[in-house]
Amino acid sequence: MNTMTEKRTQETQQQQREREQFVVPDVNIYETKDGYLLEAEMPGVNKEGLEITLEGTELTITGRRSDQPPQGADILFSESRLLNYRRVFELDPTVDTAKINAKVEQGVLTLTLPKAEKVKPKKITIA
Amino acid sequence: MALIRWNRTENTNWSPLEQLTRLRDEMDRLFLSPLGELPRPGQFFNQWAPSLDLYEDKDNVFVKAEVPGMKKEDIDVSLHDNALTVSGERKFEQKQEEAENYRSERFFGRFSRSITLPVSVAGDKVKASYKDGILTITLPKSEQAKPKQIEVSVT
C-alpha cells in the first residue's frame, strides 16, 4: 500500500516536470578534427543551476535560472520569459562521452565533446 | 511548445459541455505560447537586441537586460535625460582553427537598445552589475518622483 502511494506521487512529479515550459537556448555548434564544441546561451544560469545528462547518445542540457526579479518590485514590462532552459541533442556516437567537459561563463555554456582516439583522422606517411 | 495529441470526439458520447471544456483548453493552449515565440523587433534583418525587463519599487527603477557571454568592458550603459541606452558589442571569438560550423544561432556584433524611463531618476546614483549574463541596472528615483505620504490633519 505504502509503495503504491509512493509510486503515484512520483508519477505526478514526473507529469509536472513534463508540463513545465522551457525555453530552447540558442546554440552554436562547431566541429573540429578533435571533436565538437557546443555553446548555448542561457542568461541567468550559473554552475549550480546546470544539469547535463547523457543517456546513450542523447544529451540533455537543463539550465535553471538563479536570477530573481528584484524583491518587492512591480513588473512594468517584461520581455525575458523567466523560464528555465532545456534542449536535447543527439550525439555523434564517436564522441568520447567520458571526456565531455562543460563550463559556464556569464550565461554561456561551453561544452567540449572530444572524439574518441580511434576515429580521429590519422595521417599516414609513406615510408 | 508541446505537441498535444488531437483527440477526435466520438459521436456517440458527444456532449456540449465537453465541447466547451475542449474549446477552453484550446484557448488556454494558445495563451501558453504567447508572442514570446515571435521574433522581437530588431531581430529582423539580422539584427539583435537584448530583451529588457523593467521593474519599479518605492525608491528605485530596475532594468534587467539579457546579454550573455559578454565582457564587462564591452557593455555600455548611458542615461540621457530619461532615456536609458544599453549598447555594446559582442565579439566573435574564433576558438579553434579549421572549425566547421554546424549550427549558428547566436548573434555577434553591435547592438543598442533604448528605453524611456517612467519616472525621473537620480543620474549620478545609477549602479550597474553584470552577473551570469544578465546586466542589472539600479536607478534610484529622484526625490520629486518618490511617492510621498501626506498626512491628513483633522481640524
Side-chain angles (χ1 to χ4, degrees):
Chain A
M1 190 66 195
N2 208 358
T3 42
M4 263 181 75
T5 345
E6 181 90 353
K7 203 178 169 203
R8 202 188 298 154
T9 28
Q10 272 177 0
E11 271 172 9
T12 333
Q13 270 173 0
Q14 185 157 7
Q15 279 164 1
Q16 272 171 358
R17 210 167 36 225
E18 277 164 17
R19 223 181 295 128
E20 186 182 344
Q21 296 259 313
F22 288 102
V23 166
V24 178
D26 286 344
V27 298
N28 273 13
I29 302 174
Y30 309 95
E31 186 189 352
T32 62
K33 60 181 196 314
D34 298 323
Y36 298 88
L37 188 76
L38 187 153
E39 298 168 337
E41 284 194 358
M42 302 194 278
V45 175
N46 57 25
K47 218 175 118 205
E48 283 71 42
L50 205 63
E51 193 189 305
I52 302 163
T53 55
L54 189 72
E55 272 177 65
T57 56
E58 199 181 84
L59 181 86
T60 308
I61 300 168
T62 310
R64 302 206 171 267
R65 302 183 71 120
S66 61
D67 62 316
Q68 293 294 323
Q71 268 210 330
D74 300 324
I75 301 175
L76 297 179
F77 72 80
S78 175
E79 294 168 344
S80 70
R81 300 181 62 204
L82 287 176
L83 294 172
N84 295 320
Y85 305 89
R86 177 168 287 174
R87 193 153 176 182
V88 183
F89 297 94
E90 185 73 37
L91 287 188
D92 178 347
T94 60
V95 167
D96 188 347
T97 49
K99 286 185 187 154
I100 296 177
N101 182 40
K103 73 161 202 245
V104 63
E105 216 174 338
Q106 289 295 5
V108 177
L109 164 75
T110 308
L111 272 184
T112 333
L113 309 142
K115 287 180 196 168
E117 281 299 323
K118 61 173 189 287
V119 292
K120 275 189 202 168
K122 279 197 190 79
K123 202 167 180 180
I124 295 150
T125 39
I126 301 156
Chain B
M1 195 183 125
L3 267 178
I4 292 167
R5 189 195 296 257
W6 176 256
N7 284 320
R8 221 186 181 139
T9 0
E10 297 288 323
N11 280 335
T12 44
N13 53 12
W14 187 85
S15 89
L17 200 68
E18 196 187 316
Q19 290 291 311
L20 259 176
T21 321
R22 183 150 301 157
L23 178 70
R24 225 202 81 163
D25 283 354
E26 274 301 293
M27 285 178 70
D28 281 351
R29 204 156 67 82
L30 278 176
F31 284 110
L32 272 179
S33 61
L35 302 171
E37 298 285 345
L38 293 171
R40 286 186 292 273
Q43 245 180 350
F44 297 105
F45 310 113
N46 206 19
Q47 280 261 321
W48 179 73
S51 55
L52 294 183
D53 291 353
L54 188 64
Y55 300 90
E56 177 190 40
D57 70 7
K58 200 158 92 300
D59 303 318
N60 301 288
V61 173
F62 303 96
V63 176
K64 273 174 73 180
E66 295 192 339
V67 281
M70 297 217 19
K71 286 192 184 73
K72 202 178 82 198
E73 306 84 71
D74 295 335
I75 307 173
D76 197 45
V77 180
S78 69
L79 184 71
H80 192 267
D81 291 336
N82 255 11
L84 179 82
T85 304
V86 178
S87 59
E89 183 173 6
R90 188 153 70 181
K91 288 166 187 154
F92 182 76
E93 286 172 50
Q94 185 80 37
K95 289 200 178 105
Q96 263 149 329
E97 297 206 348
E98 289 174 46
E100 200 177 331
N101 206 334
Y102 274 28
R103 237 170 226 283
S104 185
E105 299 167 353
R106 300 183 59 204
F107 169 88
F108 293 95
R110 291 204 65 84
F111 65 86
S112 177
R113 190 82 208 266
S114 298
I115 53 161
T116 309
L117 298 170
V119 294
S120 67
V121 293
D124 50 338
K125 289 179 195 144
V126 175
K127 282 196 196 92
S129 68
Y130 185 49
K131 186 178 174 275
D132 298 334
I134 293 180
L135 176 73
T136 308
I137 309 161
T138 309
L139 308 115
K141 289 182 188 174
S142 64
E143 283 307 315
Q144 306 97 286
K146 280 185 192 171
K148 279 182 197 75
Q149 193 78 37
I150 294 148
E151 261 182 65
V152 181
S153 54
V154 184
T155 46

